[in-house]
Amino acid sequence: ELRTLLKAKPFQPFTVYTADGSTVSICHPDFAYLSPDGRTLWAYQKDYAFAMLDVMLLSRFSVNAPATVEQPGAAWRGAAVGG
């Protein structure tokens, strides 16, 4: 199931739950690496912190709601221009 989530097209962010109740978010496939034997998952966060997880100790996964991406300059649309 983990490989399927990582290779999904289009990718959907998901959360990994560990046996002790901790959670780790996978926001992009480039931020996660599954070892060739499938035993270890490295999950990087946007601030470059990372978690090294034993896949055998993961209890479940949940797909997150798609994030809305604000277009650059969206806050300025319709704003009055002038002095």
Side-chain angles (χ1 to χ4, degrees):
E1 182 179 11
L2 181 56
R3 284 188 200 276
T4 302
L5 289 168
L6 289 170
K7 293 181 179 185
K9 302 281 187 217
F11 178 81
Q12 292 185 313
F14 62 94
T15 301
V16 175
Y17 295 82
T18 64
D20 70 357
S22 300
T23 61
V24 176
S25 295
I26 309 295
C27 62
H28 191 278
D30 289 346
F31 286 24
Y33 174 73
L34 187 61
S35 64
D37 64 2
R39 178 71 195 243
T40 306
L41 173 67
W42 283 270
Y44 289 84
Q45 302 306 307
K46 290 181 180 178
D47 65 357
Y48 300 106
F50 71 95
M52 186 174 69
L53 305 167
D54 183 336
V55 173
M56 301 303 276
L57 298 177
L58 301 180
S59 59
R60 68 184 178 103
F61 312 99
S62 68
V63 175
N64 303 341
T68 57
V69 177
E70 186 174 320
Q71 296 297 318
W76 296 99
R77 277 194 201 115
V81 178

Coordinates of all heavy atoms in Angstrom, one line a residue:
E1 N 0.8 -1.2 0.0 CA 0.0 0.0 0.0 C 0.9 1.3 0.0 O 0.5 2.2 -0.7 CB -0.9 0.0 1.2 CG -1.8 1.2 1.2 CD -2.8 1.2 2.4 OE1 -2.6 0.4 3.4 OE2 -3.7 2.0 2.4
L2 N 2.0 1.3 0.7 CA 2.9 2.4 0.8 C 3.4 2.8 -0.6 O 3.4 3.9 -1.0 CB 4.0 2.2 1.8 CG 5.0 3.3 2.0 CD1 4.2 4.6 2.4 CD2 6.0 3.0 3.1
R3 N 3.9 1.8 -1.3 CA 4.5 2.0 -2.6 C 3.4 2.6 -3.6 O 3.7 3.5 -4.4 CB 5.0 0.7 -3.2 CG 6.3 0.3 -2.7 CD 6.9 -0.9 -3.5 NE 7.9 -1.6 -2.7 CZ 9.1 -1.3 -2.6 NH1 9.6 -0.3 -3.3 NH2 10.0 -2.0 -1.9
T4 N 2.2 2.1 -3.4 CA 1.1 2.6 -4.3 C 0.8 4.1 -4.0 O 0.6 4.9 -4.9 CB -0.2 1.8 -4.0 OG1 0.1 0.4 -4.3 CG2 -1.4 2.2 -4.8
L5 N 0.8 4.5 -2.7 CA 0.6 5.9 -2.3 C 1.7 6.7 -2.9 O 1.5 7.8 -3.4 CB 0.5 6.0 -0.8 CG -0.8 5.5 -0.2 CD1 -0.6 5.4 1.3 CD2 -2.0 6.3 -0.6
L6 N 3.0 6.3 -2.8 CA 4.1 7.0 -3.2 C 4.2 7.2 -4.7 O 4.7 8.2 -5.2 CB 5.4 6.4 -2.7 CG 5.7 6.5 -1.2 CD1 6.9 5.6 -0.8 CD2 5.9 8.0 -0.8
K7 N 3.7 6.2 -5.5 CA 3.7 6.3 -6.9 C 2.4 6.7 -7.6 O 2.3 6.7 -8.8 CB 4.1 4.9 -7.5 CG 5.5 4.5 -7.1 CD 5.9 3.1 -7.7 CE 7.3 2.8 -7.3 NZ 7.7 1.5 -7.9
A8 N 1.4 7.1 -6.8 CA 0.1 7.5 -7.3 C 0.3 8.7 -8.3 O 1.0 9.6 -8.1 CB -0.8 7.9 -6.2
K9 N -0.5 8.6 -9.4 CA -0.6 9.7 -10.4 C -2.0 10.1 -10.5 O -2.8 9.3 -11.0 CB 0.0 9.2 -11.7 CG 1.4 8.7 -11.7 CD 2.4 9.8 -11.7 CE 3.7 9.2 -11.9 NZ 4.8 9.9 -11.2
P10 N -2.4 11.3 -10.2 CA -1.6 12.3 -9.5 C -1.4 11.9 -8.1 O -2.2 11.3 -7.4 CB -2.5 13.5 -9.6 CG -3.9 13.0 -9.6 CD -3.8 11.7 -10.3
F11 N -0.3 12.4 -7.5 CA 0.1 12.2 -6.2 C -0.9 12.9 -5.2 O -1.2 14.0 -5.5 CB 1.5 12.6 -5.9 CG 1.9 12.5 -4.5 CD1 2.4 11.2 -4.0 CD2 1.9 13.5 -3.6 CE1 2.7 11.1 -2.7 CE2 2.3 13.4 -2.2 CZ 2.7 12.1 -1.8
Q12 N -1.2 12.2 -4.1 CA -2.1 12.9 -3.1 C -1.3 12.8 -1.8 O -0.8 11.7 -1.4 CB -3.4 12.2 -3.0 CG -4.3 12.3 -4.2 CD -5.7 11.7 -3.9 OE1 -5.8 10.6 -3.4 NE2 -6.7 12.5 -4.3
P13 N -1.1 13.9 -1.1 CA -0.4 13.9 0.2 C -1.1 12.9 1.1 O -2.3 12.8 1.1 CB -0.6 15.4 0.7 CG -0.8 16.2 -0.6 CD -1.6 15.3 -1.5
F14 N -0.3 12.3 2.0 CA -0.9 11.4 2.9 C -0.1 11.4 4.2 O 0.9 12.0 4.3 CB -0.9 10.0 2.4 CG 0.4 9.3 2.0 CD1 1.1 8.5 3.0 CD2 1.0 9.6 0.8 CE1 2.3 8.0 2.7 CE2 2.2 9.0 0.5 CZ 2.9 8.2 1.4
T15 N -0.7 10.8 5.3 CA -0.2 10.8 6.6 C 0.1 9.4 7.0 O -0.7 8.5 6.7 CB -1.1 11.4 7.6 OG1 -1.4 12.8 7.2 CG2 -0.5 11.4 9.0
V16 N 1.3 9.2 7.6 CA 1.7 7.8 8.0 C 1.5 7.8 9.6 O 1.9 8.8 10.2 CB 3.2 7.6 7.7 CG1 3.7 6.3 8.3 CG2 3.4 7.6 6.2
Y17 N 0.9 6.8 10.1 CA 0.7 6.6 11.5 C 1.6 5.5 12.0 O 1.6 4.4 11.5 CB -0.8 6.3 11.8 CG -1.7 7.4 11.4 CD1 -2.1 7.6 10.1 CD2 -2.1 8.3 12.4 CE1 -3.0 8.6 9.8 CE2 -3.0 9.4 12.1 CZ -3.4 9.5 10.8 OH -4.3 10.5 10.4
T18 N 2.3 5.8 13.1 CA 3.2 4.8 13.6 C 2.5 4.0 14.8 O 1.5 4.5 15.3 CB 4.5 5.4 14.2 OG1 4.2 6.3 15.3 CG2 5.3 6.2 13.1
A19 N 3.1 2.9 15.2 CA 2.5 2.1 16.2 C 2.3 2.9 17.5 O 1.4 2.6 18.3 CB 3.3 0.8 16.4
D20 N 3.2 3.8 17.8 CA 3.1 4.6 19.1 C 2.2 5.8 19.0 O 2.1 6.6 19.9 CB 4.5 5.0 19.6 CG 5.1 6.1 18.7 OD1 4.6 6.5 17.7 OD2 6.2 6.5 19.1
G21 N 1.5 6.0 17.8 CA 0.6 7.1 17.7 C 1.1 8.3 17.0 O 0.4 9.3 16.8
S22 N 2.4 8.3 16.7 CA 3.0 9.5 16.1 C 2.5 9.5 14.6 O 2.1 8.5 14.0 CB 4.5 9.4 16.1 OG 5.0 9.4 17.4
T23 N 2.6 10.7 14.0 CA 2.2 10.9 12.6 C 3.3 11.6 11.9 O 4.0 12.4 12.4 CB 0.9 11.7 12.5 OG1 1.1 13.0 13.0 CG2 -0.3 11.0 13.1
V24 N 3.4 11.3 10.6 CA 4.4 11.9 9.7 C 3.6 12.2 8.4 O 3.0 11.3 7.9 CB 5.6 11.0 9.5 CG1 6.6 11.7 8.5 CG2 6.3 10.7 10.8
S25 N 3.7 13.4 8.0 CA 3.0 13.8 6.7 C 4.0 13.6 5.5 O 5.2 14.0 5.6 CB 2.6 15.2 6.8 OG 1.6 15.4 7.8
I26 N 3.5 13.1 4.5 CA 4.2 13.0 3.2 C 3.5 14.0 2.2 O 2.4 13.7 1.8 CB 4.2 11.6 2.6 CG1 4.6 10.6 3.7 CG2 5.0 11.5 1.4 CD1 6.1 10.7 4.1
C27 N 4.1 15.1 2.0 CA 3.4 16.2 1.2 C 3.8 16.1 -0.3 O 3.0 16.7 -1.1 CB 3.7 17.6 1.8 SG 5.5 18.0 1.7
H28 N 4.8 15.4 -0.6 CA 5.2 15.3 -2.1 C 6.1 14.0 -2.2 O 6.8 13.7 -1.3 CB 6.0 16.5 -2.4 CG 6.3 16.7 -3.9 ND1 7.3 16.0 -4.5 CD2 5.6 17.4 -4.8 CE1 7.2 16.3 -5.8 NE2 6.2 17.2 -6.0
P29 N 6.0 13.3 -3.3 CA 6.8 12.1 -3.5 C 8.3 12.3 -3.4 O 9.0 11.4 -3.1 CB 6.3 11.6 -4.8 CG 5.7 12.7 -5.5 CD 5.1 13.6 -4.5
D30 N 8.7 13.5 -3.8 CA 10.2 13.8 -3.7 C 10.7 13.9 -2.3 O 11.9 14.0 -2.1 CB 10.5 15.1 -4.5 CG 10.4 15.0 -6.0 OD1 10.3 13.8 -6.5 OD2 10.4 16.0 -6.6
F31 N 9.7 14.0 -1.4 CA 10.1 14.2 0.1 C 10.1 12.8 0.8 O 10.2 12.8 2.0 CB 9.2 15.1 0.8 CG 9.4 16.6 0.4 CD1 10.0 17.0 -0.7 CD2 9.0 17.5 1.3 CE1 10.2 18.3 -1.0 CE2 9.1 18.9 1.0 CZ 9.8 19.3 -0.2
A32 N 10.0 11.7 0.1 CA 10.0 10.4 0.7 C 10.8 9.5 -0.1 O 10.9 9.5 -1.3 CB 8.5 9.9 0.8
Y33 N 11.5 8.6 0.6 CA 12.3 7.5 0.0 C 12.1 6.2 0.7 O 12.2 6.1 1.9 CB 13.8 7.9 0.0 CG 14.7 6.8 -0.5 CD1 14.7 6.5 -1.9 CD2 15.4 6.0 0.4 CE1 15.5 5.5 -2.3 CE2 16.2 4.9 -0.1 CZ 16.2 4.7 -1.5 OH 17.0 3.6 -1.9
L34 N 11.7 5.2 -0.1 CA 11.5 3.9 0.5 C 12.6 3.1 0.0 O 13.0 3.0 -1.1 CB 10.1 3.3 -0.1 CG 9.7 2.0 0.5 CD1 9.4 2.1 2.0 CD2 8.4 1.5 -0.3
S35 N 13.3 2.4 1.0 CA 14.5 1.6 0.7 C 14.1 0.5 -0.3 O 12.9 0.1 -0.4 CB 15.0 1.0 2.0 OG 14.1 0.1 2.6
P36 N 15.1 0.0 -1.1 CA 14.8 -1.0 -2.1 C 14.1 -2.2 -1.5 O 13.3 -2.8 -2.2 CB 16.2 -1.3 -2.6 CG 17.0 -0.1 -2.4 CD 16.5 0.5 -1.1
D37 N 14.4 -2.6 -0.3 CA 13.8 -3.8 0.3 C 12.4 -3.5 0.9 O 11.7 -4.4 1.4 CB 14.6 -4.5 1.3 CG 14.9 -3.6 2.5 OD1 14.4 -2.5 2.6 OD2 15.7 -4.1 3.4
G38 N 12.0 -2.2 0.9 CA 10.7 -1.8 1.4 C 10.6 -1.7 2.9 O 9.5 -1.6 3.5
R39 N 11.7 -1.9 3.6 CA 11.7 -2.0 5.1 C 11.8 -0.6 5.8 O 11.3 -0.4 6.9 CB 12.9 -2.9 5.5 CG 13.0 -3.1 7.0 CD 11.9 -3.9 7.6 NE 11.9 -3.8 9.0 CZ 12.1 -4.8 9.8 NH1 12.3 -6.0 9.4 NH2 12.1 -4.6 11.1
T40 N 12.4 0.4 5.1 CA 12.7 1.7 5.8 C 12.1 2.8 4.9 O 12.3 2.8 3.7 CB 14.2 1.9 6.0 OG1 14.7 0.8 6.8 CG2 14.4 3.2 6.8
L41 N 11.5 3.7 5.5 CA 10.9 4.9 4.9 C 11.6 6.1 5.5 O 11.6 6.3 6.7 CB 9.4 5.0 5.1 CG 8.8 6.3 4.6 CD1 8.8 6.4 3.0 CD2 7.3 6.4 5.1
W42 N 12.2 7.0 4.6 CA 12.8 8.3 5.0 C 11.8 9.3 4.6 O 11.5 9.4 3.4 CB 14.1 8.5 4.4 CG 15.3 7.8 5.0 CD1 16.0 8.2 6.0 CD2 15.8 6.5 4.6 NE1 17.0 7.3 6.3 CE2 16.8 6.2 5.5 CE3 15.4 5.6 3.7 CZ2 17.6 5.0 5.4 CZ3 16.1 4.4 3.6 CH2 17.2 4.1 4.4
A43 N 11.3 10.1 5.5 CA 10.3 11.1 5.2 C 10.8 12.5 5.5 O 11.1 12.7 6.7 CB 9.0 10.8 5.9
Y44 N 11.0 13.3 4.5 CA 11.5 14.6 4.8 C 10.4 15.6 4.8 O 9.3 15.5 4.2 CB 12.5 15.0 3.6 CG 13.8 14.3 3.6 CD1 13.9 13.0 3.1 CD2 14.9 14.8 4.3 CE1 15.1 12.3 3.1 CE2 16.1 14.2 4.3 CZ 16.1 12.9 3.8 OH 17.3 12.2 3.8
Q45 N 10.6 16.7 5.6 CA 9.6 17.7 5.8 C 10.1 19.0 5.0 O 11.3 19.0 4.6 CB 9.4 18.1 7.3 CG 8.9 16.9 8.1 CD 7.7 16.2 7.5 OE1 6.7 16.9 7.3 NE2 7.7 14.9 7.2
K46 N 9.3 20.0 4.9 CA 9.7 21.2 4.1 C 10.8 21.9 4.7 O 11.6 22.6 4.1 CB 8.5 22.1 4.0 CG 7.4 21.5 3.0 CD 6.2 22.4 2.8 CE 5.2 21.8 1.9 NZ 4.1 22.6 1.7
D47 N 11.0 21.8 6.1 CA 12.2 22.4 6.7 C 13.4 21.6 6.7 O 14.4 21.9 7.4 CB 11.8 22.8 8.1 CG 11.5 21.7 9.0 OD1 11.5 20.5 8.6 OD2 11.2 21.9 10.2
Y48 N 13.4 20.5 6.0 CA 14.5 19.5 5.8 C 14.7 18.6 7.0 O 15.7 17.8 7.0 CB 15.8 20.2 5.4 CG 15.7 21.0 4.1 CD1 15.6 22.4 4.1 CD2 15.6 20.3 2.9 CE1 15.5 23.1 2.9 CE2 15.5 21.0 1.7 CZ 15.4 22.4 1.8 OH 15.3 23.0 0.6
A49 N 13.9 18.7 8.0 CA 13.9 17.7 9.1 C 13.4 16.4 8.5 O 12.7 16.4 7.4 CB 12.9 18.1 10.2
F50 N 13.8 15.3 9.0 CA 13.4 14.0 8.5 C 13.1 13.0 9.6 O 13.6 13.1 10.7 CB 14.4 13.5 7.4 CG 15.7 13.0 8.0 CD1 15.8 11.6 8.3 CD2 16.7 13.8 8.3 CE1 17.0 11.1 8.9 CE2 17.9 13.4 8.8 CZ 18.0 12.0 9.1
A51 N 12.3 12.0 9.2 CA 12.1 10.9 10.1 C 12.5 9.6 9.3 O 12.2 9.5 8.1 CB 10.6 10.8 10.4
M52 N 13.2 8.7 10.0 CA 13.5 7.4 9.4 C 12.6 6.4 10.1 O 12.6 6.3 11.4 CB 15.0 7.1 9.7 CG 15.4 5.8 9.0 SD 17.2 5.5 9.2 CE 17.3 5.1 10.9
L53 N 11.7 5.8 9.4 CA 10.7 4.9 9.9 C 10.9 3.5 9.5 O 11.1 3.2 8.3 CB 9.3 5.4 9.5 CG 9.0 6.9 9.8 CD1 7.8 7.3 9.0 CD2 8.8 7.1 11.3
D54 N 10.7 2.6 10.4 CA 10.6 1.1 10.1 C 9.2 0.8 9.6 O 8.2 1.0 10.4 CB 10.9 0.3 11.4 CG 11.0 -1.2 11.2 OD1 10.4 -1.7 10.2 OD2 11.6 -1.9 12.0
V55 N 9.1 0.4 8.4 CA 7.8 0.2 7.8 C 7.0 -0.8 8.5 O 5.8 -0.8 8.6 CB 8.0 -0.1 6.3 CG1 6.6 -0.5 5.6 CG2 8.6 1.1 5.5
M56 N 7.7 -1.8 9.1 CA 6.9 -2.8 9.8 C 6.2 -2.3 11.1 O 5.3 -3.0 11.6 CB 7.9 -4.0 10.2 CG 8.6 -4.6 9.1 SD 7.5 -5.3 7.8 CE 7.2 -6.8 8.6
L57 N 6.6 -1.1 11.5 CA 6.0 -0.5 12.7 C 5.0 0.6 12.3 O 4.5 1.3 13.2 CB 7.1 0.1 13.6 CG 8.1 -0.9 14.2 CD1 9.1 -0.2 15.0 CD2 7.3 -2.0 15.0
L58 N 4.6 0.7 11.1 CA 3.6 1.7 10.7 C 2.2 1.0 10.8 O 2.0 -0.2 10.4 CB 3.8 2.1 9.2 CG 5.2 2.8 9.0 CD1 5.3 3.2 7.5 CD2 5.4 4.0 9.9
S59 N 1.3 1.7 11.4 CA 0.0 1.1 11.7 C -1.0 1.3 10.6 O -1.9 0.5 10.3 CB -0.5 1.5 13.0 OG -0.7 2.9 13.1
R60 N -1.0 2.5 10.0 CA -1.9 2.8 8.9 C -1.5 4.1 8.1 O -0.6 4.8 8.5 CB -3.3 3.0 9.5 CG -3.5 4.2 10.3 CD -5.0 4.3 10.9 NE -5.1 5.4 11.8 CZ -5.8 6.5 11.4 NH1 -6.3 6.6 10.2 NH2 -5.9 7.5 12.3
F61 N -2.2 4.3 7.1 CA -2.0 5.5 6.2 C -3.3 6.2 6.0 O -4.4 5.5 5.9 CB -1.4 5.1 4.9 CG -0.2 4.2 5.0 CD1 -0.4 2.8 4.8 CD2 1.0 4.7 5.3 CE1 0.7 2.0 4.9 CE2 2.1 3.8 5.4 CZ 1.9 2.5 5.2
S62 N -3.4 7.5 5.8 CA -4.6 8.2 5.4 C -4.2 9.2 4.4 O -3.3 10.0 4.6 CB -5.3 8.8 6.6 OG -4.6 9.8 7.2
V63 N -5.0 9.3 3.3 CA -4.8 10.3 2.3 C -5.4 11.6 2.8 O -6.6 11.6 3.3 CB -5.5 9.8 1.0 CG1 -5.4 10.9 -0.1 CG2 -4.8 8.5 0.5
N64 N -4.7 12.7 2.7 CA -5.1 14.0 3.1 C -6.0 14.6 2.0 O -5.8 14.3 0.9 CB -3.9 14.9 3.4 CG -3.0 14.3 4.4 OD1 -3.3 13.4 5.2 ND2 -1.7 14.8 4.5
A65 N -6.8 15.6 2.5 CA -7.6 16.4 1.5 C -6.6 17.1 0.6 O -5.6 17.6 1.1 CB -8.5 17.3 2.2
P66 N -6.9 17.3 -0.6 CA -6.0 18.0 -1.5 C -5.8 19.5 -1.0 O -6.8 20.1 -0.6 CB -6.7 18.0 -2.9 CG -7.8 17.0 -2.8 CD -8.1 16.8 -1.3
A67 N -4.6 19.9 -1.0 CA -4.4 21.3 -0.6 C -4.7 22.2 -1.8 O -4.5 21.9 -2.9 CB -2.9 21.5 -0.3
T68 N -5.2 23.4 -1.4 CA -5.5 24.3 -2.5 C -4.3 25.2 -2.7 O -3.6 25.5 -1.7 CB -6.7 25.3 -2.1 OG1 -6.4 25.9 -0.9 CG2 -8.0 24.5 -2.0
V69 N -3.9 25.4 -3.9 CA -2.7 26.1 -4.3 C -3.1 27.5 -4.7 O -3.9 27.6 -5.7 CB -1.9 25.4 -5.4 CG1 -0.7 26.2 -5.8 CG2 -1.6 24.0 -5.0
E70 N -2.7 28.5 -4.0 CA -3.0 29.9 -4.3 C -2.1 30.3 -5.5 O -0.9 30.1 -5.4 CB -2.8 30.8 -3.1 CG -3.3 32.2 -3.4 CD -3.2 33.0 -2.1 OE1 -3.6 32.5 -1.1 OE2 -2.8 34.2 -2.3
Q71 N -2.7 30.9 -6.5 CA -1.9 31.3 -7.6 C -1.2 32.6 -7.2 O -1.7 33.4 -6.5 CB -2.9 31.6 -8.8 CG -3.6 30.4 -9.3 CD -2.6 29.4 -9.9 OE1 -1.7 29.7 -10.5 NE2 -2.9 28.1 -9.6
P72 N 0.0 32.8 -7.7 CA 0.8 34.0 -7.4 C 0.0 35.2 -7.8 O -0.6 35.3 -8.9 CB 2.0 33.9 -8.3 CG 2.1 32.4 -8.6 CD 0.7 31.9 -8.6
G73 N 0.0 36.2 -6.9 CA -0.8 37.4 -7.2 C -2.3 37.4 -7.0 O -3.0 38.3 -7.3
A74 N -2.8 36.2 -6.5 CA -4.2 36.1 -6.3 C -4.8 37.1 -5.4 O -5.9 37.6 -5.6 CB -4.5 34.7 -5.8
A75 N -4.0 37.5 -4.4 CA -4.5 38.5 -3.4 C -4.7 39.9 -4.1 O -5.4 40.7 -3.6 CB -3.5 38.6 -2.3
W76 N -4.0 40.1 -5.2 CA -4.1 41.4 -5.9 C -5.1 41.5 -6.9 O -5.4 42.5 -7.5 CB -2.7 41.7 -6.5 CG -1.7 41.8 -5.5 CD1 -0.7 40.9 -5.1 CD2 -1.4 42.9 -4.6 NE1 0.1 41.3 -4.1 CE2 -0.3 42.6 -3.8 CE3 -2.0 44.2 -4.5 CZ2 0.2 43.5 -2.8 CZ3 -1.5 45.0 -3.5 CH2 -0.4 44.7 -2.7
R77 N -5.8 40.3 -7.3 CA -6.8 40.3 -8.3 C -7.9 41.3 -7.9 O -8.4 41.2 -6.8 CB -7.3 38.9 -8.6 CG -6.4 38.2 -9.5 CD -7.1 36.9 -10.0 NE -6.1 36.1 -10.5 CZ -5.8 34.9 -9.9 NH1 -6.5 34.4 -9.0 NH2 -4.8 34.2 -10.4
G78 N -8.3 42.1 -8.8 CA -9.4 43.0 -8.5 C -9.1 44.2 -7.6 O -10.0 45.0 -7.4
A79 N -7.9 44.2 -7.2 CA -7.5 45.4 -6.3 C -7.4 46.6 -7.2 O -6.9 46.6 -8.4 CB -6.2 45.1 -5.7
A80 N -7.8 47.7 -6.7 CA -7.7 49.0 -7.4 C -6.3 49.4 -7.5 O -5.5 49.3 -6.6 CB -8.5 50.1 -6.7
V81 N -5.9 49.9 -8.7 CA -4.6 50.4 -8.9 C -4.7 51.9 -9.0 O -5.5 52.4 -9.7 CB -4.0 49.8 -10.2 CG1 -2.6 50.4 -10.5 CG2 -4.0 48.3 -10.2
G82 N -3.8 52.6 -8.3 CA -3.9 54.0 -8.4 C -3.0 54.6 -7.3 O -2.5 54.0 -6.5
G83 N -3.1 55.9 -7.2 CA -2.3 56.6 -6.3 C -3.0 57.5 -5.4 O -4.0 57.6 -4.9

